[in-house]
Amino acid sequence: MEKTILGEKIEGQGKTQAPCVLITGFEPFGGETVNPSWQAVERLPEQIRGRKVEKLLLPVTYGSSAQKLLEEIRRLEPEMVLCVGQAGGRAAVTVERTGINWAEASLADNDGYTALGETLEASGWDGYFSTLPLNPIVEAIRKKGIPAQISESAGTYVCNQLLYRLLHFLRESDRKIPGGFIHIPFSPEQVAEKKGGAPSLPVELSAMALEAAVEATLEAAL
Amino acid sequence: MEKTILGEKIEGQGKTQAPCVLITGFEPFGGETVNPSWQAVERLPEQIRGRKVEKLLLPVTYGSSAQKLLEEIRRLEPEMVLCVGQAGGRAAVTVERTGINWAEASLADNDGYTALGETLEASGWDGYFSTLPLNPIVEAIRKKGIPAQISESAGTYVCNQLLYRLLHFLRESDRKIPGGFIHIPFSPEQVAEKKGGAPSLPVELSAMALEAAVEATLEAAL
Amino acid sequence: MEKTILGEKIEGQGKTQAPCVLITGFEPFGGETVNPSWQAVERLPEQIRGRKVEKLLLPVTYGSSAQKLLEEIRRLEPEMVLCVGQAGGRAAVTVERTGINWAEASLADNDGYTALGETLEASGWDGYFSTLPLNPIVEAIRKKGIPAQISESAGTYVCNQLLYRLLHFLRESDRKIPGGFIHIPFSPEQVAEKKGGAPSLPVELSAMALEAAVEATLEAAL
Amino acid sequence: MEKTILGEKIEGQGKTQAPCVLITGFEPFGGETVNPSWQAVERLPEQIRGRKVEKLLLPVTYGSSAQKLLEEIRRLEPEMVLCVGQAGGRAAVTVERTGINWAEASLADNDGYTALGETLEASGWDGYFSTLPLNPIVEAIRKKGIPAQISESAGTYVCNQLLYRLLHFLRESDRKIPGGFIHIPFSPEQVAEKKGGAPSLPVELSAMALEAAVEATLEAAL
């Protein structure tokens, strides 16, 4: 991973910003009334390792979620971008390895749009790797006593769409910053009444995991 | 469920005790360095609904675990008995319905004894139902935002042995008190480094679940 | 396990029968159009080890399924009784260890009756062990290259009800014959279109497993 | 998907071949004594839809498996390439969507080589999509009554390596033919003795699924 000179003017992008990191969470979807991804992002401190933590709530929609994210990246020029989503059924915090150029899911997004199988970016690669330091993040989270793993698929719903478009944008715009996606489990409150049950992780622990992930990324980038 | 006159002398058992509840946890086993069942029991308050909470740590052994439990019941004459164990792999707090008259497991107990398939009590029923109020307990735990379910099997290892012998003893000695077993998941710390992963629940939440279970039991018994 | 003198008149039950074994399967339920338990039973040969194989199709109802089974046992006086059901989600042929005195399931039976939590037999034990030779059956099925395990729960729906009432009846009527329950997985055809998927086993292999189970039981009883 | 003129001379590749399809399976690995992928490939008929079925057994090694595959493609110039592997733990035949430019697995390959995290092709995309018609294949297999799904990850072991290098080669050499990877479950024989169990599918059904996949691919390419 190439290094950026943190907090300095980034050539060609015309902005001077106080050093910051951009962390996004999602609105509820799929019949849930909360989304632990945003609950966890909200719990993050205002600063991590001296960088301001910019928090952005995104809609669960194929179109506007990525649009809002990219606008915010252009506006803030953060040192890193971490998008966070809920992966119901997973037992660990999972760091996604790859975003793929595909959208296909029977579940409609929050605008009522159903992706029947479509390419996200006509000119994009089929798949892009996250530019987050995956193994250091997993190690840092586990050191906090929180289960973490690398995930080999962010699915083909809105989460993957956001990850793919983020990685495509970073590459196309030559922004050499760490960017990627972390999925967190359901919270215990979400599964308490779920027939059949599912693994869970308290939002407090997911927030701790995200903070550890940001720290590990900043450390690896130095 | 028949009611007992709490805190009064129980005829035929010859003891006057301050009202108490007896809660047991287990020592670590199966290569683990901690057992969240005891960690959760230790976190319980000193009193629940005016009853003293008597906490007992039990060895993971077929023989002495039940012996120690029954001695303590005779000594304390508690209003209820709740045994707690770790069920690695489960995602919810599970209240056991049945103890069965059988021991068989390839994993040796902490004394090195391997049960190859044996009856626990020659004169006992094949299976006894827990005398805990299962559904009220599940509801009470869920109301705290913690996943809970009834379990249809406590296995055939030391946990089931303890449950079965507890229920056999309560019935044989005509103690009409609520008694049973709750399995709790691994803690996140336990699974953080586990290859393959497993669901988990923080010990704090397991302790909250146990407290809710005791409250629901005392309430149902009144 | 006590032995019976095969094919001879059994005192007190007033019938002389050619030696036979009774195997039951269920009708479809839960939205399925087939039930592999009956499909597998139908595929069994007419004779196993010289005993006629009597096949009985049972309704998925709490009341009449057991009634029909017990009538047939009284009529045929079989050497053994094997009830078979579908356990969607399981990956192996599973031999049930215990039937319990309880019915509770949100899924109604095929008569539209929903069991909200009820005792099956007022005078019965809480649980009865199957009188089938569990481990020999598992070994015999595995030797055919088919996955098999002992199951610690037949659930609390119609299957467990049938198993419990069978075991209660065998004990109450002092019929010292092997009797119990085997659950088989979905067939591949059932899961082919299932969203989310599930393990499966072809009906041909389930039938082979049942035949091996009958053989192992007859062998163990001699 | 662009079409090729089947059986005719393909310009720039200098070979005239009778129309054929190339199907590969793997040798056993990971402590198994058989690999159902090769067992299933061996069972395929000599011809499917008029094309000769060329069967190739590949070693479970990062280096030579892809080398052997690419040599065979150059020699045979098949109309399509289908690589098949075993995915223990899966319950359905799964058609892989994506091969990724990464190798990392604690399990060594059959040459004893352990991939600690490495790029497969320095000049390659991070991920390539299979050029097989995924949904038509899934539909065709399900129509045979066999469970099938699209898989979002071929892992990061030898299977993914083969898939990725196949797709990279097809793209780099401008071979516009369908190519990809199908994972099949364990066979029942493999899991019969496995502690803990696992889903399975008989090799006969896996072979039927592969034949349906080849037919669906040839049909979609016309």
Side-chain angles (χ1 to χ4, degrees):
Chain A
M1 188 171 306
E2 295 177 47
K3 290 163 194 178
T4 56
I5 301 156
L6 304 174
E8 302 214 352
K9 189 165 178 296
I10 297 169
E11 296 303 324
Q13 286 159 19
K15 294 205 65 172
T16 307
Q17 289 284 145
C20 76
V21 298
L22 176 57
I23 324 279
T24 74
F26 275 115
E27 290 176 351
F29 70 102
E32 299 290 328
T33 57
V34 295
N35 189 319
S37 70
W38 179 242
Q39 293 175 309
V41 170
E42 273 191 312
R43 282 177 169 270
L44 289 174
E46 294 308 303
Q47 288 217 337
I48 297 178
R49 302 256 160 137
R51 279 75 161 187
K52 187 165 182 230
V53 176
E54 298 280 355
K55 303 169 186 178
L56 177 65
L57 175 61
L58 293 176
V60 180
T61 55
Y62 288 104
S64 47
S65 60
Q67 196 180 335
K68 281 188 72 172
L69 173 66
L70 303 191
E71 278 167 16
E72 201 74 354
I73 295 175
R74 283 194 202 93
R75 191 176 72 82
L76 295 169
E77 295 299 347
E79 285 174 42
M80 65 171 282
V81 182
L82 174 57
C83 299
V84 187
Q86 159 198 306
R90 294 191 187 170
V93 174
T94 49
V95 193
E96 298 296 341
R97 189 192 301 280
T98 313
I100 63 170
N101 197 0
W102 199 252
E104 185 174 3
S106 54
L107 182 64
D109 74 8
N110 283 358
D111 277 351
Y113 181 78
T114 303
L116 297 174
E118 53 195 72
T119 294
L120 294 169
E121 299 290 339
S123 67
W125 287 7
D126 291 347
Y128 290 116
F129 284 147
S130 169
T131 56
L132 295 175
L134 306 187
N135 283 321
I137 288 176
V138 166
E139 284 316 303
I141 297 173
R142 288 180 175 172
K143 263 188 203 146
K144 303 273 182 188
I146 302 169
Q149 295 182 333
I150 292 173
S151 161
E152 301 299 340
S153 171
T156 53
Y157 187 56
V158 174
C159 291
N160 170 71
Q161 171 262 171
L162 187 70
L163 170 58
Y164 180 83
R165 284 192 163 128
L166 164 63
L167 297 171
H168 181 68
F169 172 78
L170 293 182
R171 170 173 274 267
E172 293 293 297
S173 68
D174 205 33
R175 280 173 172 80
K176 296 185 190 310
I177 60 169
F181 200 103
I182 286 182
H183 267 118
I184 61 171
F186 281 136
S187 67
E189 293 82 3
Q190 283 179 292
V191 302
E193 303 284 346
K194 260 194 181 52
K195 211 186 147 180
S200 65
L201 197 72
V203 166
E204 293 81 353
L205 295 191
S206 290
M208 278 176 58
L210 297 181
E211 188 172 353
V214 172
E215 288 172 350
T217 303
L218 292 172
E219 214 159 279
L222 287 174
Chain B
M1 188 169 303
E2 293 179 48
K3 291 162 194 179
T4 55
I5 301 157
L6 305 173
E8 301 215 352
K9 189 165 179 295
I10 297 169
E11 296 302 325
Q13 288 159 19
K15 296 208 64 175
T16 306
Q17 287 286 145
C20 75
V21 297
L22 175 57
I23 324 279
T24 74
F26 275 116
E27 290 175 350
F29 71 102
E32 300 290 327
T33 56
V34 295
N35 190 319
S37 71
W38 179 241
Q39 293 175 307
V41 170
E42 273 192 312
R43 281 175 170 272
L44 288 175
E46 294 308 303
Q47 289 216 337
I48 298 178
R49 302 255 160 138
R51 280 75 161 186
K52 189 169 180 222
V53 176
E54 298 279 355
K55 304 170 186 179
L56 178 65
L57 175 62
L58 293 175
V60 180
T61 55
Y62 289 104
S64 46
S65 59
Q67 196 180 335
K68 281 189 72 170
L69 173 67
L70 303 190
E71 279 168 14
E72 200 73 352
I73 295 173
R74 283 193 204 92
R75 191 176 71 82
L76 296 169
E77 294 299 348
E79 286 174 41
M80 65 172 281
V81 183
L82 174 58
C83 300
V84 187
Q86 160 199 304
R90 293 192 188 171
V93 174
T94 50
V95 193
E96 298 296 342
R97 188 192 301 281
T98 313
I100 65 170
N101 196 359
W102 198 252
E104 184 173 3
S106 53
L107 181 65
D109 73 8
N110 283 356
D111 277 352
Y113 182 78
T114 302
L116 297 174
E118 53 195 70
T119 294
L120 295 168
E121 299 290 339
S123 68
W125 287 7
D126 292 346
Y128 290 116
F129 284 146
S130 169
T131 57
L132 295 175
L134 306 187
N135 284 319
I137 288 176
V138 166
E139 284 315 304
I141 297 174
R142 288 180 176 173
K143 264 189 203 144
K144 303 272 183 191
I146 301 169
Q149 296 182 332
I150 292 173
S151 162
E152 301 299 341
S153 171
T156 54
Y157 188 56
V158 174
C159 291
N160 169 72
Q161 172 262 169
L162 186 70
L163 170 58
Y164 180 83
R165 284 189 163 131
L166 164 64
L167 297 171
H168 181 69
F169 172 77
L170 293 182
R171 169 173 275 267
E172 292 293 298
S173 68
D174 205 33
R175 280 173 173 82
K176 295 184 190 313
I177 60 169
F181 200 103
I182 287 182
H183 268 118
I184 63 173
F186 281 136
S187 67
E189 294 81 4
Q190 283 179 292
V191 302
E193 304 283 347
K194 258 192 183 52
K195 212 184 147 182
S200 65
L201 196 71
V203 165
E204 293 82 351
L205 294 191
S206 290
M208 278 177 58
L210 297 180
E211 187 172 353
V214 172
E215 288 172 349
T217 304
L218 292 173
E219 214 158 281
L222 287 175
Chain C
M1 191 169 305
E2 294 178 48
K3 291 162 194 179
T4 54
I5 302 157
L6 304 175
E8 301 214 353
K9 191 168 177 293
I10 297 168
E11 296 304 325
Q13 287 158 19
K15 295 206 62 173
T16 308
Q17 287 285 146
C20 75
V21 297
L22 175 58
I23 324 279
T24 74
F26 275 115
E27 290 176 350
F29 71 102
E32 299 290 327
T33 56
V34 296
N35 190 319
S37 70
W38 179 242
Q39 293 175 309
V41 170
E42 272 192 312
R43 281 176 170 270
L44 289 174
E46 293 309 302
Q47 289 216 338
I48 297 178
R49 302 258 159 134
R51 280 74 161 188
K52 187 164 181 228
V53 176
E54 298 278 355
K55 304 170 186 179
L56 177 66
L57 175 62
L58 293 175
V60 179
T61 56
Y62 288 103
S64 47
S65 59
Q67 195 180 338
K68 281 188 72 172
L69 172 67
L70 303 191
E71 278 167 14
E72 200 73 355
I73 295 174
R74 284 193 203 92
R75 192 177 70 83
L76 295 169
E77 295 299 348
E79 285 175 40
M80 65 171 281
V81 182
L82 174 58
C83 300
V84 187
Q86 160 198 303
R90 294 192 186 168
V93 174
T94 49
V95 192
E96 298 297 341
R97 188 191 302 280
T98 313
I100 64 170
N101 196 0
W102 198 252
E104 185 173 4
S106 54
L107 182 65
D109 74 7
N110 283 358
D111 277 351
Y113 182 78
T114 303
L116 296 174
E118 53 195 72
T119 294
L120 294 168
E121 299 290 339
S123 67
W125 287 7
D126 291 346
Y128 290 116
F129 285 146
S130 169
T131 56
L132 295 175
L134 305 187
N135 284 320
I137 288 176
V138 166
E139 284 316 303
I141 297 174
R142 288 180 175 173
K143 262 188 204 147
K144 302 274 183 189
I146 301 169
Q149 295 182 333
I150 292 174
S151 161
E152 300 299 340
S153 171
T156 53
Y157 188 56
V158 174
C159 291
N160 170 71
Q161 171 262 171
L162 186 70
L163 171 58
Y164 180 83
R165 285 191 163 129
L166 164 65
L167 297 171
H168 181 68
F169 171 78
L170 293 181
R171 169 172 275 265
E172 292 295 297
S173 69
D174 206 32
R175 280 173 173 82
K176 297 185 190 310
I177 60 169
F181 201 103
I182 287 182
H183 267 119
I184 62 172
F186 281 136
S187 68
E189 293 82 2
Q190 283 179 292
V191 302
E193 304 284 347
K194 257 193 183 51
K195 213 185 145 180
S200 65
L201 197 72
V203 165
E204 293 82 352
L205 295 191
S206 290
M208 279 176 57
L210 297 180
E211 188 172 353
V214 172
E215 288 172 350
T217 303
L218 292 172
E219 214 158 278
L222 288 176
Chain D
M1 189 169 302
E2 295 178 46
K3 292 160 191 178
T4 55
I5 301 157
L6 305 173
E8 301 213 353
K9 189 166 179 296
I10 296 169
E11 297 303 324
Q13 287 158 20
K15 297 206 64 175
T16 307
Q17 288 285 146
C20 76
V21 298
L22 175 57
I23 324 279
T24 75
F26 275 116
E27 290 176 349
F29 70 102
E32 299 290 328
T33 56
V34 295
N35 190 319
S37 70
W38 178 241
Q39 294 175 308
V41 170
E42 273 191 312
R43 282 175 169 271
L44 288 175
E46 292 309 302
Q47 289 217 336
I48 298 178
R49 302 258 160 135
R51 280 75 161 187
K52 189 170 180 221
V53 176
E54 297 279 355
K55 304 170 186 178
L56 178 65
L57 175 62
L58 293 176
V60 180
T61 56
Y62 287 103
S64 47
S65 59
Q67 196 181 336
K68 280 188 72 171
L69 172 66
L70 303 191
E71 278 167 15
E72 200 73 352
I73 295 175
R74 282 194 204 94
R75 191 176 72 82
L76 295 169
E77 295 299 347
E79 285 175 42
M80 64 170 283
V81 181
L82 174 57
C83 300
V84 187
Q86 160 198 304
R90 294 192 188 170
V93 174
T94 50
V95 193
E96 297 296 342
R97 188 192 302 281
T98 312
I100 64 170
N101 197 0
W102 199 252
E104 184 172 3
S106 54
L107 181 65
D109 74 7
N110 283 358
D111 276 351
Y113 181 78
T114 303
L116 297 174
E118 53 194 70
T119 294
L120 295 168
E121 299 290 338
S123 67
W125 287 7
D126 291 346
Y128 290 116
F129 284 147
S130 168
T131 56
L132 295 175
L134 306 187
N135 284 320
I137 288 175
V138 166
E139 284 315 303
I141 297 173
R142 288 180 175 173
K143 264 188 203 145
K144 303 273 183 190
I146 302 169
Q149 294 183 334
I150 292 173
S151 161
E152 302 299 341
S153 171
T156 53
Y157 188 55
V158 174
C159 291
N160 169 73
Q161 171 262 170
L162 186 71
L163 170 58
Y164 180 83
R165 284 189 164 131
L166 164 64
L167 297 171
H168 181 68
F169 172 77
L170 293 182
R171 169 173 275 265
E172 292 293 298
S173 68
D174 205 33
R175 281 173 172 82
K176 296 184 189 312
I177 60 169
F181 200 103
I182 286 182
H183 268 118
I184 62 172
F186 280 136
S187 67
E189 293 82 3
Q190 283 180 291
V191 302
E193 302 283 348
K194 257 191 184 52
K195 211 186 148 183
S200 65
L201 196 71
V203 165
E204 293 81 352
L205 294 191
S206 290
M208 278 178 58
L210 297 180
E211 188 172 353
V214 172
E215 288 172 350
T217 303
L218 293 172
E219 214 159 279
L222 287 175

